[in-house]
Amino acid sequence: MGIGLTEFLTNKLAAEHPQVIPISVFIAILCLCLVIGHLLEENRWVNESITAILVGAVSGTVILLISKGKSSHILVFDEELFFIYLLPPIIFNAGFQVKKKKFFHNFLTIMSFGVIGVFISTVIISFGTWFLFPKLGFKGLSARDYLAIGTIFSSTDTVCTLQILHQDETPLLYSLVFGEGVVNDATSVVLFNAVQKIHFESLNGWTALRVFGNFLYLFSTSTLLGIAVGLVTSFVLKTLYFGRHSTTRELAIMVLMAYLSYMLAELFSLSGILTVFFCGVLMSHYASYNVTESSRITSRHVFAMMSFIAETFIFLYVGTDALDVTKWNTSSLSVGGTLGVSSVITALVLLGRAAFVFPLSILTNFMNRHTERNESITFKHQVIIWWAGLMRGAVSIALAFKQFTYSGVTLDPVNAAMVTNTTIVVLFTTLVFGFLTKPLVNYLLPHDASHNTRNRGKRTEPGSPKEDATLPLLSFDESASTNFNRAKDSISLLMEQPVYTIHRYWRKFDDTYMRPIFGGPRRENHPEC
C-alpha cells in the first residue's frame, strides 16, 4: 500500500509539475558535490571543477542505468540558461573581487594576452581545423563554422589554476592569469558574435576590417555601458544612503543594477560579459564604500556564493552531458574519428596558446626593461600562464551549443559530432590538465620562491611618495614655467613608463574629482584601491 501511494504521489507530482523532480534531484546532487568538494579540499590533485565533473559523470551513469540507456540527463541544457542566469554572477563576482591596483598596473599585458592572444589563437585553430578535419574524413562544416570553432576553443577556463595560486604570494602571476581569463572570455564571446554577422556570400578585402571594426565597437560600447551603470549605482547609493533604514535595500540595489547592466548589454546586442565585469569593478571601487559595513561584508560573500554555485552547476552538467547517448548516436563520426578530431583540436589549442603567450611575454619584458619596478615575467611564470589557459570550460560549452544546437538539441550528424568533440575536449583538458596543475605549480613555484615573489611585489614603486599623489595636474597658483616643466617631466615619464604614469595620473584624478562624487575613502587610508 505504501509503495502504491508513493508511486501515485510521484506520478501526480510529475504530471502537474514536470520540472519539480528533475530540479530537486539536480539540487540534491549539487549539494552532494559541495560536500565531496569540501572533503577533498586538501587533496593535491583534485579541485572544485574536477570534483563537479566527476560527480556529474557518476550521476549521469546512474541515470543512464535507471533509464535503461535512454538518457543520462536530469535537465536539458539551454544556452540561454547559461548566458542569462549562470554567466552574469560568475563574471560580476570576478570584477567585484578583483585586486584593482595590480590588475590595472598590468592592464596592457592583460589586454594583450586577452585580446591579441584570442585573435592569434582563433586564426591558428580555425585554419588548423579547416586544413586537418577533411583529412580525417570529417566534412560538412561551413566557413562560419570553422571561424566559430576558432573562437569556441580560444575561450579559456583558468579556475583550476586560480584555486592554487594566491594573490598575496604571487601577485603578478595571479593578476595576469585572473585578468587574462576574464578578458579572454569576453573577447571570445564578442568575436564569436562578430563572426555571426559576417556575410560569407559577399566576402572581399574589407571583410576582415569590418569584423575588427565591429569587434572594437562591441568592446568599447560594452565597457562604457558597464562603467556608466556602475557609476550611477554608486551615485545613487551615496546620495540616498539606503543604510539609514534598511541594509537589505542597498544590497538589493547592487545585485539588481549589476544584473540590469548585463541585460541592457544583451538588449542592445553588446557584450554582457564585458559590461557586467566593469560594472563589478566600478561597484567595488565606489559603491561598496557607500553602504554600511555589514552590507559591504555581506555583498562580497553573497556574490562569491552565487558565482561558486553557478560554476559548480555548469561543470556538473558537463559531467552528465558526456554520457548523452542521443548525441553520440547522432554523430557522423565513429569512435576512432571522434578521438582523432578531439586530438587535433587539443593539439591546436596547445599550439595556439603557445603562439602568443611566450612572444607577448618577451615583448612585455622588453617594454618594461627600463621600469624600476622590474616585475618581469619569468620563464616559469610564462609556462604557468600558458598552462593555465589550456583548460576549456563553460564558455566553450555554451558557445558550441549556441553554434551547433537549437535549445540543446540537434539532429544534424555533423553538428552532433562537434558538440560531442567539444565535450570531450572540455573533459580532457579539465580533468587531465587540471589534475596536473597543482603538482606543476608546486614544482615551478615552491613555497620559498612564492615567498620571494611576494616580497618583490611589495617593493616601493618609483616616484610614488605620498606627496606626489596629491599634486594637481596643473596649478593656477604656480608660474607658467613651473607648469610647463611639470608637463615636460610627465611626458618624459609617460614615454618611459606608460602604464605606471597613466595609473599615477588616474589616481590623482580619482582622488580629486571622482571619489567626492561617487564615494570611496582617501587613497592614503586604503592604498590597495
Side-chain angles (χ1 to χ4, degrees):
M1 180 67 182
I3 297 177
L5 180 60
T6 302
E7 291 179 351
F8 171 77
L9 293 175
T10 303
N11 293 334
K12 180 177 176 61
L13 183 63
E16 295 180 355
H17 306 283
Q19 292 297 323
V20 170
I21 294 178
I23 292 174
S24 301
V25 172
F26 201 91
I27 292 175
I29 296 174
L30 191 61
C31 293
L32 177 64
C33 184
L34 299 181
V35 173
I36 296 175
H38 169 72
L39 296 176
L40 296 176
E41 182 70 28
E42 301 299 326
N43 190 281
R44 180 185 179 189
W45 303 90
V46 180
N47 54 48
E48 294 288 351
S49 49
I50 294 176
T51 302
I53 288 178
L54 293 177
V55 171
V58 172
S59 303
T61 304
V62 173
I63 295 170
L64 198 63
L65 294 174
I66 294 175
S67 65
K68 297 179 181 180
K70 294 181 180 179
S71 174
S72 66
H73 283 160
I74 307 170
L75 300 172
V76 177
F77 184 87
D78 185 349
E79 64 273 12
E80 294 301 321
L81 168 69
F82 173 80
F83 283 106
I84 300 300
Y85 300 108
L86 298 179
L87 188 60
I90 296 174
I91 302 300
F92 176 79
N93 182 64
F96 196 80
Q97 307 285 0
V98 68
K99 294 284 188 181
K100 297 178 289 297
K101 183 177 181 180
K102 209 66 184 175
F103 178 84
F104 287 105
H105 268 163
N106 303 300
F107 187 72
L108 291 183
T109 305
I110 290 171
M111 294 301 291
S112 65
F113 284 163
V115 178
I116 299 175
V118 167
F119 274 89
I120 294 173
S121 178
T122 298
V123 169
I124 290 175
I125 295 174
S126 296
F127 280 96
T129 53
W130 171 77
F131 179 74
L132 294 174
F133 277 7
K135 296 183 181 299
L136 297 173
F138 185 35
K139 301 176 182 179
L141 294 172
S142 65
R144 189 190 307 277
D145 290 333
Y146 282 116
L147 287 176
I149 288 171
T151 61
I152 288 168
F153 291 104
S154 293
S155 172
T156 65
D157 184 4
T158 57
V159 173
C160 289
T161 309
L162 290 174
Q163 288 174 349
I164 297 165
L165 297 175
H166 298 283
Q167 296 190 59
D168 296 330
E169 293 184 355
T170 53
L172 173 64
L173 183 59
Y174 188 95
S175 173
L176 294 179
V177 172
F178 173 84
E180 190 223 340
V182 176
V183 177
N184 171 286
D185 285 344
T187 305
S188 298
V189 174
V190 171
L191 192 56
F192 177 88
N193 292 332
V195 167
Q196 305 306 311
K197 297 180 181 180
I198 298 177
H199 300 289
F200 286 91
E201 62 277 1
S202 59
L203 288 177
N204 54 51
W206 296 100
T207 301
L209 287 177
R210 280 199 295 269
V211 171
F212 185 68
N214 188 35
F215 170 82
L216 289 180
Y217 166 76
L218 290 174
F219 204 94
S220 57
T221 51
S222 302
T223 301
L224 290 175
L225 178 59
I227 292 173
V229 175
L231 290 178
V232 168
T233 306
S234 304
F235 181 77
V236 169
L237 288 173
K238 186 176 189 298
T239 304
L240 300 181
Y241 188 50
F242 289 85
R244 288 179 302 180
H245 306 297
S246 171
T247 58
T248 304
R249 287 196 185 98
E250 56 188 5
L251 185 59
I253 284 290
M254 295 177 72
V255 173
L256 293 175
M257 289 298 288
Y259 193 68
L260 177 64
S261 72
Y262 186 89
M263 296 308 298
L264 285 176
E266 294 297 313
L267 178 64
F268 296 125
S269 299
L270 303 177
S271 171
I273 293 180
L274 270 176
T275 298
V276 79
F277 174 75
F278 280 99
C279 180
V281 172
L282 268 292
M283 282 195 188
S284 172
H285 192 62
Y286 298 118
S288 62
Y289 295 101
N290 299 330
V291 299
T292 60
E293 182 68 21
S294 60
S295 293
R296 188 178 308 133
I297 296 172
T298 303
S299 64
R300 291 194 173 274
H301 289 295
V302 167
F303 297 146
M305 177 270 296
M306 294 170 64
S307 172
F308 178 75
I309 291 178
E311 287 180 357
T312 307
F313 183 99
I314 293 167
F315 281 109
L316 196 59
Y317 184 88
V318 170
T320 61
D321 189 67
L323 302 172
D324 186 359
V325 291
T326 304
K327 293 189 182 73
W328 282 97
N329 292 333
T330 308
S331 174
S332 62
L333 293 172
S334 62
V335 175
T338 300
L339 291 177
V341 169
S342 58
S343 298
V344 165
I345 294 174
T346 304
L348 290 172
V349 166
L350 293 168
L351 178 62
R353 184 85 186 151
F356 73 85
V357 168
F358 297 106
L360 290 180
S361 297
I362 294 172
L363 178 62
T364 298
N365 290 337
F366 177 78
M367 296 293 292
N368 293 335
R369 67 191 186 282
H370 295 307
T371 60
E372 295 179 35
R373 286 191 301 137
N374 195 25
E375 286 186 310
S376 61
I377 307 174
T378 66
F379 181 72
K380 290 182 178 181
H381 285 176
Q382 295 174 34
V383 172
I384 293 176
I385 294 170
W386 170 72
W387 185 271
L390 295 181
M391 277 72 82
R392 295 297 176 264
V395 175
S396 294
I397 288 287
L399 292 180
F401 271 77
K402 193 171 185 177
Q403 180 69 20
F404 298 109
T405 73
Y406 179 76
S407 296
V409 179
T410 179
L411 299 178
D412 183 87
V414 175
N415 290 344
M418 274 312 307
V419 173
T420 55
N421 276 284
T422 303
T423 304
I424 290 173
V425 171
V426 170
L427 286 173
F428 178 83
T429 56
T430 303
L431 293 176
V432 177
F433 296 156
F435 270 124
L436 298 174
T437 297
K438 193 174 288 188
L440 177 69
V441 171
N442 291 338
Y443 173 75
L444 293 176
L445 294 177
H447 181 71
D448 292 339
S450 300
H451 183 72
N452 292 337
T453 305
R454 175 179 56 188
N455 290 337
R456 283 201 306 270
K458 290 185 177 180
R459 286 179 181 173
T460 303
E461 296 174 358
S464 58
K466 186 177 295 186
E467 62 271 19
D468 282 355
T470 62
L471 288 175
L473 303 179
L474 290 175
S475 174
F476 294 106
D477 297 330
E478 295 178 345
S479 64
S481 60
T482 302
N483 282 325
F484 176 78
N485 290 331
R486 180 178 296 165
K488 182 179 177 182
D489 293 339
S490 299
I491 294 174
S492 300
L493 188 61
L494 177 63
M495 298 299 292
E496 293 177 3
Q497 305 175 34
V499 177
Y500 168 72
T501 307
I502 293 172
H503 184 261
R504 177 169 171 263
Y505 278 105
W506 159 249
R507 289 174 60 183
K508 291 183 181 182
F509 179 80
D510 190 32
D511 277 338
T512 306
Y513 301 105
M514 300 294 288
R515 288 178 181 270
I517 299 175
F518 299 105
R522 293 292 298 175
R523 187 85 54 177
E524 56 267 19
N525 298 328
H526 292 262
E528 74 279 0
C529 297

